[in-house]
Amino acid sequence: MRPTTNIYPARTYHKLSLDTGSFNTASFRPWHNPAQDNFGIIHFRAPSTSYDILLGINALDMADSTDLSLKCSLLSFADNSARLNLQSWGNTIQYSSGCSWLSVPADDPDFQSGRYYTIDHQQWSKPQVSTRIVFKRSYPSPPKVVVWLDTIHTDANTNCRAHVYPSDVATDGFTLHLDTWHDTKLHLAGATWVAHSSDRTDIHSGSFCTEDVKTTAHPQLENSARIAFNGANFSSSPRIFMALNKLDIGRQRNLRVSPVHASDVTNTGMTWHLNSWAETELFSAGASFVAYEK
């Protein structure tokens, strides 16, 4: 007698209805006219009232003699647009900045997201934070989780160092870390996270870092590498959301990160770019990404 085999049907998911884009202060003012409030409008392909809009820092240019403070804030919604602010405060001189946005259907049972701020849980003088995030809905197996920075405030007298990342991902949640190191004074940081089932073939998420191609001991302005969309089954080149999850920049020069971006995007992979310019000392930078079927 032939042995019987249990065949389980493949899980099915809601058709993805994500949207992404970016916003930069360079679109409405020159860098040499710094401003602490930078208001703008972003537009969506679908009505925003049924979506969660997630923001993440993707570029910055701040003066070397001031604190680095930057927050991506969503102010209001319309049917297919939203108003946001790239805001600095205190003595920060913000020459330019940029953010990426990702709109996520609020009723998608598989795609979950949230935000976390250190100020809600710990004093600024104790910057290393880890907290357990609990999903509203548990997954049948540990999902894929990515996190990125949407707020940062570091002291003017120390290097800008911050890193947000997940660990101990389980079916019901994960541990979110928001750290600094050495002598950096991290007054405030905020992170946004997303989670989705790890066996999806219409989405691929992950992270990359300049340390994939160089060491932190040697600052480097241009950094890139090719990564593959392993496990995905895209029928064409996917759309890509990217936002910074790590910064390590010297304070002796302006703090500059060019808009993180991808090139040569195909259905099997992409080349990421994490760059700076001029005399900036970019010891390290990292970013998270979400690639999804168009």
Side-chain angles (χ1 to χ4, degrees), residues 44 46-53 77-82 103-107:
F44 316 113
S48 61
T49 53
S50 60
Y51 285 69
D52 293 325
I53 311 302
F77 291 93
D79 287 341
N80 62 349
S81 66
S103 66
V104 182
D107 60 351

Side-chain angles (χ1 to χ4, degrees), residues 209-276:
C209 184
T210 59
E211 292 168 54
D212 298 340
V213 296
K214 73 172 193 68
T215 67
T216 59
H218 301 286
Q220 186 169 298
L221 294 180
E222 296 188 0
N223 308 271
S224 65
R226 187 79 182 168
I227 56 176
F229 300 139
N230 293 325
N233 185 24
F234 297 131
S235 59
S236 61
S237 300
R239 298 193 72 190
I240 311 290
F241 164 90
M242 289 182 169
L244 295 167
N245 63 31
K246 184 179 184 181
L247 293 171
D248 185 355
I249 310 176
R251 287 305 320 221
Q252 303 304 311
R253 303 290 187 270
N254 283 15
L255 289 84
R256 304 181 180 100
V257 179
S258 303
V260 56
H261 67 282
S263 66
D264 303 319
V265 179
T266 70
N267 64 327
T268 61
M270 67 178 181
T271 299
W272 58 261
H273 299 267
L274 267 172
N275 301 331
S276 185

Side-chain angles (χ1 to χ4, degrees), residues 119-175:
I119 198 171
D120 296 333
H121 302 274
Q122 194 156 344
Q123 299 176 2
W124 67 266
S125 58
K126 300 178 180 179
Q128 286 189 302
V129 176
S130 64
T131 188
R132 191 70 184 169
I133 302 295
V134 178
F135 300 132
K136 290 182 179 179
R137 299 175 297 277
S138 293
Y139 291 88
S141 61
K144 187 72 175 180
V145 176
V146 290
V147 297
W148 58 82
L149 291 164
D150 59 42
T151 304
I152 188 169
H153 182 189
T154 60
D155 189 84
N157 298 314
T158 58
N159 284 9
C160 170
R161 303 181 182 98
H163 188 199
V164 58
Y165 57 96
S167 72
D168 303 318
V169 179
T171 58
D172 62 346
F174 69 98
T175 299

Side-chain angles (χ1 to χ4, degrees), residues 76-130:
S76 61
F77 291 93
D79 287 341
N80 62 349
S81 66
R83 186 169 182 258
L84 56 79
N85 185 15
L86 293 178
Q87 180 185 28
S88 296
W89 55 92
N91 66 359
T92 297
I93 299 176
Q94 182 187 156
Y95 293 118
S96 68
S97 63
C99 74
S100 300
W101 57 266
L102 182 70
S103 66
V104 182
D107 60 351
D108 190 319
D110 184 69
F111 210 95
Q112 300 187 62
S113 63
R115 299 173 180 88
Y116 176 84
Y117 293 95
T118 57
I119 198 171
D120 296 333
H121 302 274
Q122 194 156 344
Q123 299 176 2
W124 67 266
S125 58
K126 300 178 180 179
Q128 286 189 302
V129 176
S130 64

